[in-house]
Structure formats: structure tokens, C-alpha cells
Amino acid sequence: MMPVRRSALLDRLVADRTRTSQHEILVELRRAILDGGVPPGTPIPPAEVADLFGVSPIPIREALKTLVAEGLVTHRRNGAYTIALLTAQELREMYIVRETLESASLTAAVYNATDADRATAVLANQRLEQAISDGDGAAYHRGSRQFHAALTAPSRMHRLLHMLEAAWNVTEPVQSMVHVSPADRAELHSDHRAMLEAFLAGDVAGLLAVAEHHAGRLNAVIATLPRDTGLLA
């Protein structure tokens, strides 16, 4: 009989046994999944997670139900939980959702942006520049999300931004930007620079045009992600 492998998720969880409410457990499970250190398809054993936190399986299962509703976890008929594994088509669809919501927020973001918002966008771009310089795919992946958030957050369209965050979360376990080539990351970042310039200049039409071009380039890059890594179903 083959030994049962320990779930990689367990090694990523930080269990504080003084903070074991269902909400706190949910937040930690979500953090571990979104950090990208646990690949899609990884099993989530409720009993072992419960032991780690020193609680009964009940709050674990309730937290997992929430993550299922968010699209981050899959619950199979046999009762097993796994980190959601998207098909290539589902990944493309979620990128379209992200792009649509982002585009809808950008006009208001430009008009509402404060000096502090513009400074945040500049800083996010500097972090991306550093990731490109270092050849650090993981840092670029994190930085790309932070950059896009810096451009959309000034819209103050809170319900839309909540939907955008949820859509982005669904794609996060794939860690797309980690797995594309350095050349593709550099080309995508050339779009980021142009988006930042338009944002700082208050050029709504220019920003929307570059964002649309960026979305097309991003979709083309995502279509080249390797299919033999287990990241996609």
C-alpha cells in the first residue's frame, strides 16, 4: 500500500492556536492559497488542518465552503477538497472578467486619483522594474497585481473593486507570470509603463487604449502557458 503524502498546503499554513475563530482560519487558508506556494489540485485534508489549528473539523469545513463559493477550492462528490484546478478555457474566461472590470474602473480612477494615489502607482511600477531587473518571476507576478490595483483603486467603486479582487483571486493559484518567459514579462511591462504615463497625465482615452492593447497581449501570453506542469486541468 502506497503511503499517503502530506498535503503541501499544511506546510504553508501559519496556525496561531490563540486565534482559531472560523473567520481567522478562513483568512489563513485563503492567504496560503493565494500566496502561490501550493499548486492547483493540491488536496486539502480537513482533519489534518483541524489538528494543526487545534479545533474540530467543523470550522474548517465551514471555511472551506466559503472558499468553494469563491472559486478557490473544489469539493468533490467523494467529500475531498482540493485547491481549484482551472481548465485553459476557464483561465482565459477569468482573465476576460478581470480585464472587463478593470476597464470599467479606469475612467473614474483617473478623475478621482489624488497625489497619494499617483505616488502609489509610481512605487508599484518601480517594484515591477526591480523584478524585471532581478529576473524574479514571482516578484513580478506579485508586483503586477499590485500595479493594476494601484490604477483601479482610486475609482472608489467599491463593489466593482470587490468583484475584481474575487476574479483575480481565482486566477492566482496558477501564478501565470511566474511561468511566462522573461521576454514576455518585459513586453507586458512596457505596457505597464505606458499605462502609468497615461494615468499620471490624466489621459483617460490613452489609458483605456493602452489597457486594451495590454489585455490583448496578456491573453496571447496566457495562451502559451505550458500544459504539462499540472497548473491547468
Side-chain angles (χ1 to χ4, degrees):
M1 182 177 178
M2 293 290 292
V4 178
R5 288 186 175 181
R6 175 183 171 88
S7 170
L9 177 66
L10 297 174
D11 295 326
R12 295 284 177 170
L13 292 171
V14 179
D16 182 350
R17 292 195 171 207
T18 67
R19 301 173 63 84
T20 57
S21 72
Q22 182 181 315
H23 175 71
E24 288 161 343
I25 292 170
L26 169 63
V27 168
E28 177 56 19
L29 283 168
R30 187 188 292 118
R31 181 206 62 76
I33 293 170
L34 296 181
D35 269 0
V38 187
T42 297
I44 306 173
E48 293 178 50
V49 175
D51 288 343
L52 191 65
F53 283 95
V55 299
S56 77
I58 295 174
I60 306 301
R61 293 184 186 279
E62 290 302 313
L64 290 173
K65 285 181 184 178
T66 299
L67 294 174
V68 169
E70 293 178 4
L72 291 175
V73 169
T74 299
H75 186 208
R76 297 176 181 171
R77 290 182 179 179
N78 63 1
Y81 292 92
T82 59
I83 295 176
L85 186 65
L86 301 177
T87 65
Q89 178 60 31
E90 288 169 336
L91 183 65
R92 285 194 295 271
E93 288 175 2
M94 291 312 302
Y95 269 86
I96 291 171
V97 171
R98 277 173 38 178
E99 293 150 12
T100 302
L101 292 170
E102 177 175 297
S103 179
S105 73
L106 289 177
T107 298
V110 170
Y111 287 132
N112 293 336
T114 64
D115 288 343
D117 292 325
R118 286 184 280 270
T120 296
V122 169
L123 179 59
N125 182 67
Q126 290 171 348
R127 289 172 178 158
L128 276 175
E129 298 278 3
Q130 189 62 52
I132 290 286
S133 176
D134 294 343
D136 188 337
Y140 181 86
H141 182 87
R142 292 191 302 271
S144 180
R145 179 168 185 170
Q146 292 165 359
F147 176 79
H148 284 268
L151 295 189
T152 56
S155 71
R156 318 288 190 247
M157 300 170 72
H158 300 298
R159 289 182 183 275
L160 185 152
L161 293 173
H162 177 73
M163 290 187 288
L164 177 57
E165 179 182 23
W168 203 298
N169 283 352
V170 171
T171 65
E172 201 70 357
V174 179
Q175 296 282 292
S176 303
M177 293 299 102
V178 175
H179 302 285
V180 302
S181 71
D184 283 333
R185 286 197 292 267
E187 286 195 352
L188 288 166
H189 188 53
S190 69
D191 296 338
H192 290 151
R193 294 190 194 99
M195 291 170 73
L196 178 64
E197 289 175 5
F199 179 75
L200 296 177
D203 180 1
V204 172
L207 177 56
L208 291 175
V210 177
E212 183 178 1
H213 175 78
H214 179 65
R217 194 199 301 270
L218 183 58
N219 287 333
V221 169
I222 293 304
T224 69
L225 286 176
R227 299 290 185 264
D228 58 353
T229 60
L231 294 170
L232 297 171

